Amino acid sequence: MKNEEDESLQVWTKQVFASGQKPTQVTAMYDNWSKTYEENLGEGKYRAHIIAVDEVVRLVPEEQRRQVRVLDVGAGTGWVGTELLKLGFKNLDALEPSEGMMNQLKSTGIYTLKYQEFLGLGQNTIPSDTYDVVVVSGAMCEGHVPVRGIDDMVRVTKPGGLVVISMRLEFLETVEEYRNRLEPHMNQLEQKGVWHKVARTVVPGYYCGKEGVVFSYRVV
């Protein structure tokens, strides 16, 4: 059933979302999961990528899609890129720290540049002011992208560009890194004139019947 985690999926999510893990430990989990990831999350269980893509499509006019440069953060096996390509986006790059996931997304042939690195750890090599759209789907989780990863997203986005983030709504409270920190940091950046909020939308059916939230911001 799409609203339930089966036993195999429960095993994987328990591992990758375990608290207190270092980023390298999380990526090692994804390396092992990469070959069955799409099978485990198929059949409508996981819609983070669809939800993120819907928001990007809403904000980027069809006539601009061939020209805009897009960075898919935490690209996984390439689900976001696959959907964006169908909808007219041609200039797609990926950031994915897991080697196993990177190998899967490379096989799609969708992405031009592929960065196997992290956000928010002070090691990101992507040039500033590079992308018209930065899209983050399902990467805001326990032990994944830290709050300061938001600063990297802003840095690599061109002035006037968009940052779109889809994540599980409950993680704003249940993930210690984000509780009372993630949204306040986003709001502080807006108060400083770094970006402005386009929308914050709670959506149903994000993951196994759980709600998600989509943030969209335009960088100043």
Side-chain angles (χ1 to χ4, degrees):
M1 297 290 292
K2 67 180 182 180
N3 288 338
E4 298 178 359
E5 289 184 321
D6 58 32
E7 185 175 348
S8 176
L9 183 54
Q10 287 177 356
V11 170
W12 283 115
T13 56
K14 184 177 180 179
Q15 291 180 49
V16 299
F17 296 152
S19 61
Q21 294 189 99
K22 296 179 180 179
T24 52
Q25 292 174 301
V26 175
T27 55
M29 296 292 182
Y30 279 110
D31 288 344
N32 293 329
W33 192 11
S34 59
K35 292 182 179 179
T36 61
Y37 178 84
E38 293 190 2
E39 177 184 348
N40 292 145
L41 287 173
E43 300 179 350
K45 295 186 184 77
Y46 182 67
R47 297 182 61 254
H49 55 298
I50 301 297
I51 290 166
V53 167
D54 284 348
E55 182 71 354
V56 172
V57 167
R58 185 180 75 84
L59 296 172
V60 180
E62 186 173 359
E63 63 272 15
Q64 297 179 12
R65 294 175 192 169
R66 292 183 65 90
Q67 288 75 43
V68 299
R69 290 193 67 183
V70 180
L71 179 66
D72 179 4
V73 172
T77 59
W79 272 353
V80 166
T82 299
E83 295 302 319
L84 287 175
L85 187 66
K86 293 175 186 176
L87 294 164
F89 295 86
K90 305 299 182 184
N91 298 310
L92 304 170
D93 296 342
L95 182 145
E96 173 51 58
S98 161
E99 182 176 3
M101 291 292 193
M102 179 65 78
N103 289 337
Q104 296 293 321
L105 74 83
K106 282 180 179 178
S107 70
T108 67
I110 290 170
Y111 300 96
T112 303
L113 299 178
K114 295 164 280 287
Y115 297 92
Q116 190 178 327
E117 55 192 53
F118 297 95
L119 282 187
L121 300 185
Q123 304 167 355
N124 189 260
T125 64
I126 299 175
S128 299
D129 303 335
T130 298
Y131 292 99
D132 302 288
V133 178
V134 172
V135 56
V136 187
S137 165
M140 304 299 292
C141 313
E142 180 72 50
H144 289 51
V145 178
V147 170
R148 60 184 178 273
I150 298 293
D151 300 324
D152 271 339
M153 296 174 201
V154 172
R155 181 184 63 78
V156 304
T157 304
K158 296 176 184 177
L162 292 164
V163 178
V164 174
I165 301 169
S166 73
M167 62 182 290
R168 205 187 303 184
L169 179 63
E170 64 183 343
F171 284 169
L172 293 172
E173 298 298 330
T174 61
V175 175
E176 185 175 357
E177 170 71 13
Y178 301 154
R179 188 187 310 120
N180 299 321
R181 296 186 63 206
L182 180 59
E183 286 200 88
H185 185 63
M186 291 173 164
N187 293 336
Q188 287 170 8
L189 290 177
E190 185 167 26
Q191 291 165 8
K192 292 177 181 178
V194 173
W195 65 5
H196 68 83
K197 185 184 294 180
V198 177
R200 179 195 189 275
T201 309
V202 175
V203 293
Y206 178 92
Y207 168 77
C208 291
K210 295 179 181 291
E211 290 183 317
V213 60
V214 186
F215 298 96
S216 50
Y217 285 88
R218 194 171 295 277
V219 173
V220 176

